[in-house]
Structures are given as structure tokens and as C-alpha cells.
Amino acid sequence: MTFKDINLNNPLWKALDDSEITHPTTIQHKAFSVIMSGRDVTGIAQTGTGKTLAYLLPILKMWSFNKSRHATVLIMVPTRELVVQVVEAAERLGKYMNVVVKGVYGGTNLKTQAYELADGCDILVGTPGRLLDLGYHGTLNLKLIKKLVIDEVDEMLALGFRSQIEHLLDLLSEKRQNLMFSATMSEDVEVLIAEHFNDPEKIEAAPSGSPLSNINQVLYKVPNFNTKINLLHLLLESKPEMTKILMFCSTKALADELYVTIATKYPEITGVIHSNKDQNYRFNSVNRFQDGTFRMLIATDVIARGLDIQDVSHVINFDLPDEPQNYIHRIGRTGRADRKGEAISLVGDLDLDWLEEIEAFMQFKIPTLDLPQELEISDILTSSEIPQIKMKNSLGKLPKIKDEEKSAFQQKIAKNMRVNTKVSHKDKMHAKYGKPKTRGQKPKGKK
Ligand code: AMP
């Protein structure tokens, strides 16, 4: 089956031709007619399965020009990088239609984004917090939204966006079509669906032919951090086929440490990305990795979720994630769109428990490679690798002393511990006369 067999229209067929996209993926094929029927849909699909086009194609097919140029389609995604990616995909697909797509996210000036939005927008892509702010600001009329997409919903809930998503859902018009995509169907996701969706149809990307089958997974058992670094240098020196490496680690601090360690030797070709880096830095790092300037990008799990970077030749797990699902997400950054990919995990003693869980989850034992003969095994341990000797408090818990039993000295200390708080004139007036009336009362729920 090709896209010509799907009831699209000329502008969409032409745009697909320009991108040389000819055959629908499983999720695109399954989602099209269900979304076109107007029903609510929950799609279980990871990035790499073509899910963005699975919802964009029917949405664009159904979209019709409205003179008011108020957004009628809202797409919620967890990260700023995904906002940019989805905006680009929608613009590419809509290039022969008169459709205006805009993206909004936090960490940038709210007023500037509000002005841009007021200038006209048909499809709005954004992160939940910023969309909510624009709703409260009044620039975004949430009652006009006819189609809502919540993408990577499991990740959004994991990032703690639940209350913002629920606030947004409460502000939307009841008459709308809800589409939701998630890599997993967790209990949290089920609750959200049960409360806000209307008898959704569930569609899944077929597990067979999923990205996993294109990816060759191997692991090295490496005793400690410094030996992992030595192995990494060895691999970088001896394997020219490692052209585009995405290296994952679990924490921002480790990502920074690795960056400093590796970039000292390869400053021009190494980048790092995590959520403490500012927006421009993040975009620059991804762009330079995308265009081949960087051979290696060091990333944490959250930030790399959903990133669609072309032709990643190797994923390296410097450590293993504590969630098996995240291992699948990590390695899924390579071997995309039917290409072959390689995933190499450096498994230290501290990672062994996670390895067991990951293998059980995949029902696949990752082959272990012998360490290269020339590898220098380091016996220098980092502070977190040095075994901690725990001293048990032999005194146990001290009995609580009642106030009247405290000595004069103890009472004096307690008094001195009290924090002096300064009460402003406004607070005094508030306590005396109640809440002042303001001209523009903030909407309910705004903090
Ligand atoms: P996604 O799962 O939406 O992140 O898409 C992953 C990648 O697959 C993107 O680079 C898309 O441009 C690409 N893609 C989406 N649909 C198709 C298709 N039908 N044929 C080939 N590539 C596709």
C-alpha cells in the first residue's frame, strides 16, 4: 500500500512526494480512517514509528481555512525540542496549503509569543505550561480548539505536567476530538483518558518490525568509571564507522562530567545537551550534531525523548537507565526508518541490577563482548564508586522533652530559633480588611 491508496488530497500528496515519503507506516495506516471518523483515539507508539505524521495527515486533511485565524488545532508535547520538530513536520506537510503553524514553549518571553499568536495561527504546538499561560493571558482562546493532540503523554506525566494538562483540558470546549499518543499505557495515562476522553478507539503500532529489530545490541562489562572512559577513547580511535554517536547517561551532573572529560580530547566534535542548558545552547547542540559537526552528543534521558535525529550510527549507554522502557527509548534513536543501528552499553557493577530488569523486559539477553586486549583497566575509583561504610547510630532516638520540662537554657534557644518575619503594610491591611478588589481578577486556578 502507498499513500496514493489513502484518501488524502493533492496538496498533501505533493508535500509527501517532496519529502520522498511514499509508504505509510503501520500506525499511519491504522490511524487515518479512525481519526477521520471524528472519534477520540489513543495511539500506543514510540517515536520512530511515524506517529507524528499519523496524526498530522488526517488533521491537515480535515482542516479548513477560517478567516479569524484563531487556532483550532492544539498539539501538546513535553519538550521545546519536540515543539520545534512537530512545527517543522506540520509546515513541511502543509506547505501547499494556506495553513499557519506556530510553536510556543516556556523559557522565552511570553509577550513576544502572545504577539506572534495574535498575528494569526491555525495549528498551535506547545508545552503544557506555556499553553496554559497563553490561555490565561487571553491570547489563546481555548474554547475554539476543535482537535487536541497530546503527544508523548506518558513522558509528560512522568515530568510532572499532570495538573497543567488537567487545567488545560478543563478550559477547552467539550466539543472536540481528542487524540493521544503514548509509548506505554501506564495506570496514570489510563486515568487521564478515563476522565477526559470520550470512548476512545485504541490503535497500536505493530510490535513486529518495530525499531528493535534493526538494532544490533551489545554490551561490555566494565568495572568502573575511569575504565569506561578508557574504553570510550579506544572505541572512538579504532572505529571510524562510529560516525554519529548519541551517548546517554542518567544524570545532568554526569553528562557535564563526561563532556568535560571527553571534550578535552575532542573539543570540536563533542556536544552535550540536558535540561539545565539554556534554549539556544540546546538547539545549537542538536543542530551541530544533526549537521555532522559533532561526532558525539552526550544526553540525558529526558531531553533526548522524542528527538528525531537522522542517521545516528551508534547509541552508547555510558550507564544503564533505571527504567527498562528508557533503555528502549535510548536505543531507538538509532536504526530509524529501516536503517541498521548499533547500541553499545557499558555495564558497570552498579548497573547489573538494571541490566537484569532490562533483559527481562525485552525477553532478550544482550550479547557480552570481550574487553579489547589493549584496554587499560583503571583501579582509580570515583567518590560514588568507593564503598560507603554505614555507621549505625547506637544512641537510638532521644526521648522528646515536654515544654515545661525544658531548662531555662533550652527555652532560650527555642526562643532564639524563632524566625523574625517582617509583615508588610499590604499584608497587615489584608489581614484586617480581607482580600482587596482588583480590576482584573485572575482566572480560577491561576497561582
Ligand atoms: P516519528 O515517529 O513521528 O518521530 O517519525 C520518525 C521519522 O520517520 C521522521 O523523520 C519522519 O519524517 C519519518 N517518517 C514518518 N513517516 C514515514 C514514512 N511513511 N516513510 C518514511 N519515513 C517516515
Side-chain angles (χ1 to χ4, degrees):
M1 177 189 257
T2 71
F3 274 111
K4 293 283 185 275
D5 303 310
I6 289 186
N7 185 18
L8 295 171
N9 53 25
N10 279 332
L12 288 172
W13 279 320
K14 251 175 104 177
L16 285 171
D17 275 350
D18 289 355
S19 302
E20 296 177 0
I21 290 180
T22 49
H23 292 74
T25 62
T26 313
I27 195 91
Q28 289 163 0
H29 176 219
K30 284 189 180 173
F32 189 76
S33 55
V34 190
I35 298 179
M36 288 298 288
S37 74
R39 280 191 66 169
D40 282 5
V41 170
T42 61
I44 305 298
Q46 295 178 16
T47 44
T49 52
K51 68 178 165 61
T52 317
L53 264 59
Y55 61 76
L56 284 178
L57 281 167
I59 283 178
L60 284 166
K61 170 77 199 293
M62 286 188 275
W63 178 78
S64 57
F65 180 78
N66 74 76
K67 257 199 262 167
S68 72
R69 297 240 101 139
H70 286 301
T72 53
V73 177
L74 190 64
I75 302 173
M76 244 193 271
V77 296
T79 63
R80 304 159 197 187
E81 282 73 15
L82 265 179
V83 170
V84 175
Q85 208 166 284
V86 173
V87 167
E88 278 172 7
E91 283 177 338
R92 250 195 322 267
L93 272 185
K95 77 189 229 205
Y96 298 108
M97 301 166 67
N98 187 9
V99 59
V100 179
V101 187
K102 287 190 177 157
V104 291
Y105 39 78
T108 48
N109 191 297
L110 178 71
K111 272 196 187 149
T112 318
Q113 287 192 336
Y115 281 131
E116 278 177 23
L117 207 57
D119 231 16
C121 169
D122 302 306
I123 297 180
L124 181 62
V125 188
T127 48
R130 181 46 59 101
L131 289 171
L132 200 54
D133 285 343
L134 287 165
Y136 285 141
H137 189 261
T139 335
L140 171 62
N141 186 347
L142 289 158
K143 293 278 175 234
L144 298 176
I145 300 299
K146 302 233 167 42
K147 308 220 174 281
L148 170 74
V149 180
I150 316 182
D151 199 354
E152 305 263 344
V153 67
D154 49 347
E155 180 63 7
M156 278 204 251
L157 295 176
L159 289 173
F161 284 136
R162 169 178 286 281
S163 73
Q164 281 152 325
I165 295 175
E166 294 199 322
H167 263 106
L168 260 166
L169 289 168
D170 288 341
L171 294 173
L172 292 169
S173 143
E174 297 249 319
K175 275 192 176 172
R176 60 168 201 266
Q177 184 181 17
N178 298 301
L179 313 172
M180 188 221 72
F181 288 83
S182 183
T184 46
M185 188 51 88
S186 63
E187 209 174 296
D188 270 2
V189 177
E190 302 242 17
V191 171
L192 193 77
I193 294 167
E195 283 174 4
H196 298 279
F197 281 39
N198 179 20
D199 185 26
E201 175 143 347
K202 192 169 159 189
I203 46 176
E204 279 184 65
S208 62
S210 68
L212 275 181
S213 58
N214 300 335
I215 304 164
N216 185 35
Q217 303 178 57
V218 292
L219 65 84
Y220 288 103
K221 291 213 167 122
V222 198
N224 51 39
F225 177 91
N226 284 310
T227 313
K228 284 185 181 183
I229 295 286
N230 292 347
L231 177 59
L232 209 56
H233 285 309
L234 205 65
L235 294 174
L236 289 171
E237 298 286 333
S238 62
K239 295 198 179 293
E241 67 275 21
M242 294 175 90
T243 49
K244 211 168 189 178
I245 309 160
L246 191 54
M247 184 160 83
F248 284 100
C249 61
S250 300
T251 66
K252 295 172 217 174
L254 181 57
D256 281 331
E257 194 178 344
L258 283 173
Y259 176 67
V260 172
T261 315
I262 296 161
T264 340
K265 198 156 180 194
Y266 311 98
E268 303 297 323
I269 54 162
T270 314
V272 61
I273 178 172
H274 59 64
S275 55
N276 277 4
K277 299 285 180 198
D278 76 40
Q279 195 54 54
N280 276 342
Y281 189 98
R282 281 161 61 168
F283 283 139
N284 270 338
S285 297
V286 173
N287 285 342
R288 295 175 79 183
F289 185 55
Q290 187 86 269
D291 72 19
T293 315
F294 288 158
R295 182 178 174 202
M296 179 190 282
L297 185 66
I298 302 165
T300 51
D301 292 284
V302 166
I303 209 67
R305 185 73 177 251
L307 273 189
D308 179 30
I309 297 168
Q310 308 292 321
D311 303 328
V312 171
S313 67
H314 290 71
V315 164
I316 296 183
N317 293 311
F318 190 82
D319 55 17
L320 289 179
D322 54 5
E323 287 284 335
Q325 194 68 42
N326 275 347
Y327 175 84
I328 307 282
H329 284 300
R330 285 182 178 191
I331 67 169
R333 306 301 100 207
T334 180
R336 292 161 84 78
D338 292 336
R339 290 198 186 86
K340 292 265 171 243
E342 299 275 335
I344 303 174
S345 298
L346 311 187
V347 179
D349 290 348
L350 299 173
D351 297 305
L352 286 174
D353 285 348
W354 309 130
L355 176 65
E356 210 173 287
E357 280 192 29
I358 290 164
E359 290 186 329
F361 180 73
M362 293 193 296
Q363 299 189 348
F364 173 72
K365 197 159 171 47
I366 307 169
T368 305
L369 298 184
D370 291 336
L371 292 174
Q373 297 233 309
E374 59 275 40
L375 176 68
E376 193 186 319
I377 309 282
S378 169
D379 51 12
I380 304 168
L381 299 181
T382 61
S383 56
S384 61
E385 287 170 335
I386 296 172
Q388 303 286 314
I389 301 161
K390 288 205 176 105
M391 300 261 284
K392 207 165 173 216
N393 184 353
S394 56
L395 293 173
K397 227 175 178 184
L398 292 171
K400 225 175 172 186
I401 311 170
K402 287 185 194 149
D403 267 358
E404 57 272 22
E405 290 167 2
K406 283 181 185 163
S407 68
F409 178 68
Q410 282 169 320
Q411 287 177 23
K412 194 171 171 200
I413 289 181
K415 196 174 158 203
N416 288 342
M417 294 276 284
R418 280 186 212 139
V419 181
N420 279 332
T421 46
K422 202 174 157 192
V423 182
S424 70
H425 175 73
K426 194 173 138 213
D427 290 340
K428 271 189 210 154
M429 292 300 106
H430 191 166
K432 197 167 172 188
Y433 301 113
K435 201 168 182 227
K437 285 206 168 61
T438 55
R439 266 182 289 155
Q441 290 283 41
K442 279 181 184 167
K444 222 172 113 208
K446 172 105 176 143
K447 285 183 195 136

